[in-house]
Amino acid sequence: MATNATPRKKKNPQASRPRRRRGVPGALVAALLVIALFFGGLVGFAVANRTNPYRAQLTAAGERITELENILTMMGFSEETDPTAFVFDDSDSSDELGDLTGATGSDGSVLWNEDGFVGGMLAETGEPVVVAEFNGGQLLSSEVIDPYNEQYANEAFGFNDADESSADTLQDVMETLVADKLCRLKAEELGLTELTAEDEAAIRAETEEYYQEQKDFFRDSVDTTGMTAEEADAAVESYLETEVGVTLESLIEAERADYWYTKLFNETTRDVTVTDEEIQSYYDELLADQQQRFAEYPDDYEFAIINGETLVYNLEGYRYVKHILLTFSDPAAATAVEDLYYQISELDPESDFEQITQLQEQLNGYYTDLKARAEEILAELQAGADFDALIEKYGMDEGMRYEPAKSDGYRVSADSSSLFSSEFIEGCMMLEQPGDVSTPICSVGGVHIIKYLGDVAPGAVPLEEVRDTLAAEVLSEKQDASFVEQEAQWIVDADVKYYPERLQ
């Protein structure tokens, strides 16, 4: 169960660069299966579904998980009949799509073999052939096969009718690859493919920032108990390299390889500007949308915050809070606490009062050490310590380390959604005045020390408070549109001819 919202900071794309149109990595295909099965078996999910009064979203998620599992079972993947049903590759290495080799459907047919997904994937059968040509270049079949197979597999494992849309998918992939080639030709024509010392410095600075974000994101996945700060940092970097396949240098090389595209985009859109009228119009549209959406679906307000949406309208009854979360260091203790919460939630408060009291006494025992540490932290606070400094020193909620929560705190109301536990919400709302700090508050996630920062002003946010942010968003949209229009003109001028039949 989520004891608090813990948004993860994502790499912000450059404001002056649109997303490049790429196929989905093959590894994600297998990951779709793993995710569905993994979350379907989490004890924590069951606990959350039982102990949180705001369970509508969790119930819907549970139904979706069941639906996905049923689909997988119909495809022939069933652990009840075959314990190895989800073991697609018994080797020790990972080769993305190849890890699914040998998977079979309910009728015994092979869903995945060494040649690819039956019925839709492409395989190289001879010398590469030209499948598209244009002024200044051509596209070969060997360049199309892997991107197409990845996109096809993504659609198939997304439970879409990949066969029915395969022709469109092939055309989309070919057009994307041709557009990339034409952009590269234009970059070469403008002298943008050679990297300057300034380019290299920008690449390294941006990539180092992104790499640090990834280290922060995966830090919780690494056991750094007893390590120094330097040892812990090295352990996280090792995890990224061995488990995620990422190093700082590999990221720099990837960014360097595509940086010509950033320079082309910046050069092509450097004259695009934004007017006050456009900003006002964007603000008015966003305000109308949020007013209607949040009134109809109040939970969307908190999800908008988590997703980093620019808010121009606030719901009533919200306050800003920060907290210091102390979690159980022993995984067995954390699991036992989850189990006790679940058992208590299953009992009737009146007829099972005695049993609930006994279970609550057991539960209280697990919090003894955490509450003692919380009292020590409160003593530091009373002695004049800064609350933010104590969060940095003791807090175990990663969400408190990322903006906007790091600066502003979480927005919580008595009607907050299932992003927060009921105990956490109650602890936030019992504080009477801004500046008040709670006593230790216990939840399934640990012990919280909560500080009430202030109230969120309800209603429309004045335009001047968000003008700069909205101006950047409007500019980004206009730049993207301008570049897409320019790219389309390059394609027209190149007189592209496609020959998809040569791949059939």
Side-chain angles (χ1 to χ4, degrees), residues 24-153:
V24 176
L28 182 56
V29 176
L32 291 173
L33 294 172
V34 175
I35 290 171
L37 296 171
F38 177 71
F39 281 101
L42 280 179
V43 174
F45 181 87
V47 174
N49 200 28
R50 294 290 185 178
T51 61
N52 200 303
Y54 307 96
R55 64 183 68 164
Q57 293 84 3
L58 293 171
T59 299
E63 291 173 352
R64 178 56 178 156
I65 288 169
T66 300
E67 178 186 345
L68 290 171
E69 289 180 333
N70 288 340
I71 292 173
L72 291 171
T73 300
M74 286 188 292
M75 292 172 64
F77 301 106
S78 174
E79 290 184 306
E80 292 182 3
T81 57
D82 179 7
T84 65
F86 298 103
V87 179
F88 303 116
D89 184 353
D90 58 3
S91 68
D92 293 329
S93 61
S94 172
D95 59 353
E96 295 188 340
L97 300 181
D99 283 349
L100 296 176
T101 299
T104 59
S106 56
D107 60 356
S109 62
V110 177
L111 290 174
W112 202 275
N113 57 32
E114 293 179 357
D115 295 325
F117 200 95
V118 172
M121 280 194 167
L122 300 174
E124 196 70 72
T125 57
E127 289 295 319
V129 297
V130 175
V131 294
E133 55 186 1
F134 48 88
N135 296 336
Q138 58 187 17
L139 179 68
L140 300 178
S141 58
S142 56
E143 298 174 282
V144 175
I145 290 175
D146 285 347
Y148 169 78
N149 285 347
E150 290 179 356
Q151 183 61 30
Y152 180 91

Side-chain angles (χ1 to χ4, degrees), residues 221-233:
S221 301
V222 182
D223 183 3
T224 58
T225 305
M227 296 184 183
T228 64
E230 293 75 13
E231 291 170 340
D233 202 57

Side-chain angles (χ1 to χ4, degrees), residues 416-430:
S416 281
S417 72
S418 56
L419 291 173
F420 303 93
S421 72
S422 58
E423 298 85 4
F424 180 75
I425 293 171
E426 290 168 5
C428 293
M429 303 311 296
M430 73 178 186

